[in-house]
Each structure stands twice: as C-alpha cells, then as structure tokens.
Amino acid sequence: HLSSSAVAQRLIGDSLSRRSAHKVMRMAHQSMKFEDWYSAIELLELYAKKRPKRTRAKYELGRLYYQIRQYEKAEYFFSVVTKADSNAFPEAWYYRGQCSKSLGNYTHAQLCFAEFKLTYRGLKDRRKFRRLLKAELTIAPLLDSITNAPLPAEINAIRSINGKSSETGILNADENTLLYTALQKDDLPVIDINDSLAEIPVTKIYKATLDNNRWTKVGLLEGEVNEMEGHVGNPIITHDGRYLIFSVCKDNWQGKTTCELYQSRRVNDKWKRVEKMKDGINVGGGFTTTQPAVGRDPERNRYILYFVSDRPGGKGGKDIWYTRYNKRDDQWDRPRNCGSKINTVGDEETPWVDLSEGTLYFSSNGHPGIGGMDIYKSIGERGRWTEAELLGIPINSSADDVYFRKQPRERYMLLTSNRKGSQSLWEGTCCDDVYEVFFPKDFHSILRLTAFEIPDPDGELNGRATLPETVFKVFFIDPETGDKFFVKSDTSVSGVLDLKIEPGRVYSVEGIHPGYFSDIHKIDTRKMLINDTMQVDLEMKKWDEKPIRVPNIYFEFNRDKLTSESQLALDTSIYHLMVTNPDIIIEIMAHTDNKGTSAYNNKLSQSRAESVVAYLQKKKIEGDRMTAKGYGEAQPIAPNEHADGSDNPEGRAQNRRVEFRVIGTKMKIRSID
C-alpha cells in the first residue's frame, strides 16, 4: 500500500491518436510492465476505441481499473467481458464478483462467484482460485449476520491529516504523536513521459500531534530517516524505544517497485545512524521486503521482527514473515514464514503486534472476508497462531481496510481505508485515508488475580497471606484444539493484579515466584459479561528439600518396569509439576522394603528411579533437570515387620515407594557456571 498512491503519468506532447492500434497496444503493455497503470489505462482506452470488438482489451481494462481500485469502472468492463466471451476469460467472473463485493453488492458478488465456480477448473492457476473461491463461499452464509450486527464503535476520517492522495503507514509514536506516510506533493502530478528529468513525487514520513483531542499536522519527521532516496514509509518503533524500522521503496531496472527495510537509532530524541538491515531480511533479486512490525519473545525478551515479503517459499502473493534478534551475536535469525494460519494464496499485509494482548493484527484478501483487504487478528507468536478472526463492521468495510493499530489512548484505534467518503484525487475509492475508531464503552472484562502463600507443610489455608512480587502469566486456550498461546505477563508488587481480558474466551493463568511451586488455573469467560470482574486465587506452596511422596507408583514384582497405572500417576504429579515449574531440578528417589539383600535392593531401587526419569524424558522433560537415586531399604517410613516379628504387608507396601524432592533451579546452576 506504500506504492498505491495516485501518481498519474499523463501522456502529453504525443499525437497518440495517429498511432496504429498495434503500436498503442504495445505501448500499453510496456506501461503495465513498468507498473504505470494510469498510462496503461489511457492507452487501452484508446485501443478499445480503435478495436471495439477486441474483448481482451476490455478484460485488461477491467484488471487495470481493479488494480487502481476504481471498482465501478472495473465492474463495467468485466460485465462487458462476461457477456461477450466468458469462456475465453473465466477469471472475469471472479474479478467481477470482487468488484461487486468491494461496492457492497454482496448478493451480486455471490452470483458471480457461483458462475466462476463452473468455469475455473481449466485455468493454469486453478489451485489458487480454488482456495480463493472457498474463502468467498465460506463467508457467504455469514454476511447477513456480520453486516447486520456492527460493533459499538464510531469511525471518522481524520480530515486534518488526510489529503487528496493516500495516507498510509501509520503509527502512534506515543500517546500524543502520530507518524504517517504520504506524498510530498498533495496534488495530481502531470508527468511528460518524454521528459527524462521529470521529478516523480515520493512518499516520506510525516508527524502529527494531538491537542484537545484533535490531530494537527506538524511536518516531516525530524532526523535522517527522510533523507533516504525513494519512497520512505511504514515506520515502527521497537518496544524499548531504541530503534525505528522503516521501508525504502524504489523502482528497479524492470520498473517494478521493490522495498527494503532500514533501521535508525534514537540519538538525543532524533532518529539518526540509518543503516540497511542485514542480508537475509532484505533478499534482493526483485523481491520486496516491507511493512515491519515488532513483537517480543516472552521468554528471552528479545525482538521478533515481522514483515511482508513476496520472496520464494511463501504461501501465495505477499506473506508475513518473522525473524528473531540475537543480541549476543548482533544477528537476526533466518526469516521464517508465519504459516498457513496467517498466510494464504492471496496477499497478507500491514502487520501490527499488540504486545499487551499477544495478538497480531493484519490485513488479507485470502481469508473469508467482507471486502477487498480485510483486517484480522490472531493470538500467538512466530509460526504458532490461532485461526484468523475477522474484525467486524465498522472497522472492516466493503473496501480495503489496512494498517490497523491500537492507540495508547484507551478505546481509540487507527486504520487506513479507501472506503466511500475518503478524499481522493481520482473518483471514488482510489486512495487511502487515515480513520480513527472510538469505542464509547469499554468492551473488556477484569481478571483479578491474587497470589497466596500456603505457609504450613500440610497445605492448610488458615492464615494465608498474599505473596508479593509474583509473576502472573496469561495464556489463551483454543477451546477446539486445546492449544495454549501466550497472551501477556506482568509482575505484581503486592501480589494482586487486575488484568483486562476479552470475554467469551478460555484462558489459563499461572502464578510464578522463585522458591515456590507454581499454581495454574483454567478460566472460562464465555459466560462473562463485558465489564464483569472475575476473582481468581492462586495458592503458592514454598518448596524445600523435603521428599514428597508420589502415590500410586507401582512396579511389577522384582522388576523396574512402570505399570500403566504408575504412568498415569506420574502424568498427573511429577510431569505436571515439571511442566508448570520449568526451572526446578528434582531428584527422583526410589525405595524398597527389606526383602532380599541390601545390595540387591540398592540396585533395584536405582533401576526403578532411572525408569521414572526415562519415562519423563520421553515426555520431553529435559534430562538435566532430573537425577535418579535409589535408596534401597535404607529409609523406611513404616515397619516391615510387626512387633512380634510377623510380616507387615501394609508397612512393606508403604516402603516400596517413589518420592521426589527439589534440589535446585536452572537459574542457580547457571549462576555457578
């Protein structure tokens, strides 16, 4: 969308009407090759007058008007094609449907898609169109419910910022500062293609400030960023405020606009030291890398850079990719695709990460939607995501809706759109404007988390007290798959924390404190109302090196093989503990009764302890977090014989046991190294 600004290269000073139809068509195709859509339209319009029966010219005019988002003209030419020769151009039914959809005529759009379903199978790109068509047919039965149940939000164009061309690449630098991308000249440039020195306008990053709830233009963003040649835009600032990452786009030798990512450091509150990001992120070869977004690795607190690229290895056109920053080596990992939950055979663009919610917002024309490019959200990180969720009206419209961002101000959001009502150099919907979304009422609920210390060894709750400096982690649980996705993490000085959550979801909350066993609760908010408060108490037991017995651990007589009942007992005890407390190191302690020799019992108990460790390792518990120790008959907890010397089967059964104890943490061991 950085390159979608309306820059019309008008053909002047050349008597085109005298040229042959063949020559005009060659010039039109040359203009298309160089992505000069407006010149191509003018040439094809002339060709169509010279050769009014040539259906291909009308099909190509439809594609060009669709490209510059003049949907009414595009729909007209596609309708001419479908009436004249739909068998020769079956794609015309698909694009006619897309135009009708972008104009809000959903009923007619579905009729066009139905016709396309009958004719697309002979196409070279039939696999791509089959998936795109599936998305359209999936959304069809939901259109009424979506369009008739808008979100309780207000949306208004920011007239003080928007000009006649496109405004895109938006970002809140802080609560009162907005960065956006726009052309340096806000008028319709007329460029003589015979003038090799003609200056083509480029985009730069501009700044606006908020005063009395109104945005006001300030001018170009200060610093060295805007000194770069070419189209500069799509700024994003890292969560620590140290770096600004942005794109620079230029035309290559083939006339194709390609972009690369650059970064700038904050120096004395200005953006300086601009440098191109390292190879691997930018790939060259005519492929584009643009529209950065920054996330954060919750475990290592390092940058995750998301970006848009059409490089090889993707799912379709433009995909969203990611890479992680390794601070120690000052290197970015090899970029990876975000996967099929995000990317489709269509285009995915304009990602943005809400760090407070663990959510990726992006736009796509390949998922089931109500417009051209629609806005979606997905919880997760890197290559693990929930299914993309379509945002409702009025955030989405029948047109293109992109660059969704939440503002630091509560209940305010931003997006850009070419929906009807946008200011435009050309008629209708050619150009993007910045819109502000406001929710008059908060649509969240409150989760009140309290961490309590269990002071006594028996776990009695009498006299319990809140546990300060507890870390609370919140995960979203997909109710269909059971998959868990990190959402947010926060530390409470007092041990009590209020978190905003979306009702209608299933969460898992975890309390973590050094020296204490973690506590986890599953929370179902699907019956909660907006603005409700749910109280959740997490009970944290302090661990020490006292052995803890694991009940129901049985072995076959005189053997070290775990029974199926024992495996189930381990799953619900030690395994669960190790998963929820990923830093603790434990000793697995196995004991026997006094049947047999002491040496034999020592060997048997060691084998049984090692069997427990081996079982847990098969379940992906790291081996360096466990040690196995057999104590034989040396530590009985009950008599093996009664006082009269007779056998005590109950006592022996108690002595044949498995215990564990916490002997340290990974963090402590690392500090010793």
Side-chain angles (χ1 to χ4, degrees), residues 503-528:
R505 298 183 180 274
V506 180
Y507 294 94
S508 172
V509 295
E510 180 177 345
I512 303 170
H513 195 287
Y516 289 78
F517 291 117
S518 299
D519 191 17
I520 296 178
H521 281 253
K522 186 177 179 180
I523 300 166
D524 192 336
T525 68
R526 285 175 287 188
K527 294 183 180 180
M528 282 184 72

Side-chain angles (χ1 to χ4, degrees), residues 547-551 589-594 631-641 648 650-659:
I548 300 173
R549 185 182 177 187
V550 184
M589 311 164 68
H591 305 268
T592 66
D593 59 20
N594 65 352
Y631 287 87
E633 61 190 64
Q635 296 182 3
I637 58 173
N640 289 300
E641 293 88 16
N648 181 8
E650 293 81 8
R652 291 186 183 279
Q654 292 183 55
N655 291 330
R656 296 191 298 270
R657 68 193 188 278
V658 171
E659 299 172 324

Side-chain angles (χ1 to χ4, degrees), residues 510-547:
E510 180 177 345
I512 303 170
H513 195 287
Y516 289 78
F517 291 117
S518 299
D519 191 17
I520 296 178
H521 281 253
K522 186 177 179 180
I523 300 166
D524 192 336
T525 68
R526 285 175 287 188
K527 294 183 180 180
M528 282 184 72
L529 300 175
I530 292 174
N531 294 323
D532 274 1
T533 298
M534 177 180 284
Q535 174 73 45
V536 177
D537 295 346
L538 294 105
E539 297 162 353
M540 319 279 286
K541 186 177 185 299
K542 193 170 186 176
W543 55 259
D544 52 34
E545 294 192 11
K546 294 179 182 178

Side-chain angles (χ1 to χ4, degrees), residues 357-611:
E357 299 286 347
T359 302
L360 174 72
Y361 291 87
F362 64 99
S363 292
S364 172
N365 61 10
H367 288 282
I370 63 172
M373 297 294 290
D374 284 315
I375 299 169
Y376 300 82
K377 67 178 181 178
S378 180
I379 299 173
E381 61 174 318
R382 295 183 285 165
R384 264 188 95 244
W385 302 97
T386 59
E387 294 290 345
E389 180 182 342
L390 177 71
L391 273 61
I393 295 172
I395 291 175
N396 278 313
S397 69
S398 62
D400 286 343
D401 302 294
V402 291
Y403 287 105
F404 178 87
R405 280 92 172 94
K406 287 185 179 179
Q407 296 192 50
R409 293 186 295 163
E410 288 285 335
R411 306 199 300 278
Y412 280 89
M413 298 149 195
L414 294 166
L415 60 88
T416 70
S417 177
N418 69 328
R419 63 185 65 191
K420 288 183 179 180
S422 300
Q423 300 180 105
S424 175
L425 283 168
W426 290 72
E427 58 187 89
T429 51
C430 84
C431 305
D432 293 309
D433 277 355
V434 181
Y435 286 80
E436 190 165 62
V437 181
F438 174 63
F439 281 81
K441 294 183 180 180
D442 197 344
F443 52 87
H444 289 91
S445 297
I446 301 298
L447 188 61
R448 179 161 294 155
L449 304 174
T450 306
F452 287 103
E453 178 180 5
I454 303 175
D456 59 290
D458 297 326
E460 296 297 331
L461 300 182
N462 295 330
R464 66 179 184 171
T466 56
L467 186 60
E469 301 296 337
T470 296
V471 176
F472 295 103
K473 289 187 176 181
V474 181
F475 298 86
F476 167 74
I477 298 178
D478 188 324
E480 294 185 5
T481 65
D483 292 339
K484 191 166 75 168
F485 300 88
F486 177 80
V487 174
K488 63 180 74 177
S489 177
D490 207 344
T491 302
S492 170
V493 175
S494 65
V496 181
L497 185 66
D498 284 355
L499 292 175
K500 284 188 174 183
I501 58 170
E502 286 191 45
R505 298 183 180 274
V506 180
Y507 294 94
S508 172
V509 295
E510 180 177 345
I512 303 170
H513 195 287
Y516 289 78
F517 291 117
S518 299
D519 191 17
I520 296 178
H521 281 253
K522 186 177 179 180
I523 300 166
D524 192 336
T525 68
R526 285 175 287 188
K527 294 183 180 180
M528 282 184 72
L529 300 175
I530 292 174
N531 294 323
D532 274 1
T533 298
M534 177 180 284
Q535 174 73 45
V536 177
D537 295 346
L538 294 105
E539 297 162 353
M540 319 279 286
K541 186 177 185 299
K542 193 170 186 176
W543 55 259
D544 52 34
E545 294 192 11
K546 294 179 182 178
I548 300 173
R549 185 182 177 187
V550 184
N552 302 319
I553 300 295
Y554 303 108
F555 295 90
E556 296 180 11
F557 176 73
N558 211 29
R559 297 184 64 184
D560 59 11
K561 184 178 180 180
L562 287 163
T563 63
S564 58
E565 294 87 348
S566 301
Q567 292 176 354
L568 178 61
L570 287 172
D571 290 345
T572 56
S573 58
I574 300 180
Y575 172 73
H576 177 74
L577 181 81
M578 297 295 278
V579 170
T580 57
N581 296 270
D583 288 320
I584 65 171
I585 298 173
I586 64 171
E587 178 184 83
I588 303 294
M589 311 164 68
H591 305 268
T592 66
D593 59 20
N594 65 352
K595 288 271 189 179
T597 66
S598 176
Y600 178 81
N601 285 331
N602 285 338
K603 182 179 179 181
L604 179 62
S605 63
Q606 181 65 33
S607 296
R608 287 177 171 176
E610 291 171 357
S611 292

Side-chain angles (χ1 to χ4, degrees), residues 62-317:
R63 290 293 303 271
L64 287 168
Y65 276 117
Y66 182 71
Q67 177 72 31
I68 65 171
R69 302 187 295 179
Q70 291 194 34
Y71 304 123
E72 290 182 356
K73 286 189 175 181
E75 202 277 335
Y76 165 75
F77 281 107
F78 287 132
S79 68
V80 170
V81 172
T82 55
K83 291 173 184 176
D85 193 358
S86 61
N87 291 328
F89 302 97
E91 301 101 314
W93 280 115
Y94 175 79
Y95 291 111
R96 188 179 178 187
Q98 287 294 337
C99 291
S100 294
K101 184 179 171 186
S102 294
L103 292 168
N105 191 346
Y106 296 118
T107 301
H108 185 260
Q110 290 303 314
L111 292 175
C112 293
F113 293 137
E115 289 288 342
F116 180 63
K117 186 178 180 181
L118 301 175
T119 59
Y120 81 92
R121 288 180 175 82
L123 293 173
K124 181 180 179 181
D125 293 334
R126 58 185 175 275
R127 178 175 171 271
K128 169 187 173 181
F129 279 113
R130 182 175 69 248
R131 295 188 178 185
L132 291 173
L133 186 60
K134 181 181 178 181
E136 300 301 342
L137 299 178
T138 298
I139 199 68
L142 306 175
L143 286 169
D144 284 344
S145 61
I146 294 172
T147 55
N148 293 328
L151 298 171
E154 303 167 2
I155 184 166
N156 294 289
I158 305 180
R159 301 294 181 189
S160 57
I161 292 176
N162 296 326
K164 296 177 183 178
S165 59
S166 287
E167 289 74 35
T168 61
I170 50 179
L171 172 72
N172 273 108
D174 55 49
E175 186 169 345
N176 298 308
T177 307
L178 174 65
L179 305 183
Y180 64 99
T181 305
L183 280 174
Q184 287 181 292
K185 296 180 180 179
D186 188 34
D187 55 11
L188 180 61
V190 178
I191 299 168
D192 186 348
I193 61 171
N194 296 314
D195 181 3
S196 61
L197 299 177
E199 183 179 349
I200 298 177
V202 293
T203 60
K204 297 296 179 184
I205 300 173
Y206 288 81
K207 187 167 77 170
T209 56
L210 186 67
D211 186 25
N212 292 324
N213 221 33
R214 176 180 170 81
W215 291 104
T216 304
K217 286 183 180 179
V218 174
L220 285 169
L221 176 67
E222 305 92 341
E224 300 173 3
V225 171
N226 280 317
E227 296 175 7
M228 302 294 296
E229 293 184 4
H231 293 283
V232 179
N234 296 310
I236 193 74
I237 298 174
T238 56
H239 52 266
D240 55 12
R242 296 179 60 195
Y243 296 95
L244 184 144
I245 302 173
F246 61 100
S247 60
V248 176
C249 304
K250 300 177 182 178
D251 291 343
N252 64 13
W253 65 274
Q254 295 175 312
K256 179 183 177 182
T257 301
T258 59
C259 308
E260 294 182 306
L261 293 184
Y262 287 72
Q263 68 180 25
S264 175
R265 297 173 185 261
R266 190 191 294 271
V267 180
N268 297 326
D269 213 30
K270 289 188 178 180
W271 297 109
K272 298 186 177 182
R273 301 179 188 173
V274 175
E275 58 182 345
K276 185 160 69 171
M277 300 197 76
K278 296 182 178 179
D279 291 342
I281 294 176
N282 297 310
V283 292
F287 300 108
T288 200
T289 302
T290 185
Q291 297 171 358
V294 178
R296 180 174 58 207
D297 187 325
E299 297 299 325
R300 300 187 182 182
N301 195 34
R302 58 177 176 168
Y303 304 137
I304 301 176
L305 176 66
Y306 298 92
F307 58 87
V308 172
S309 180
D310 60 354
R311 66 187 62 198
K315 306 293 182 183

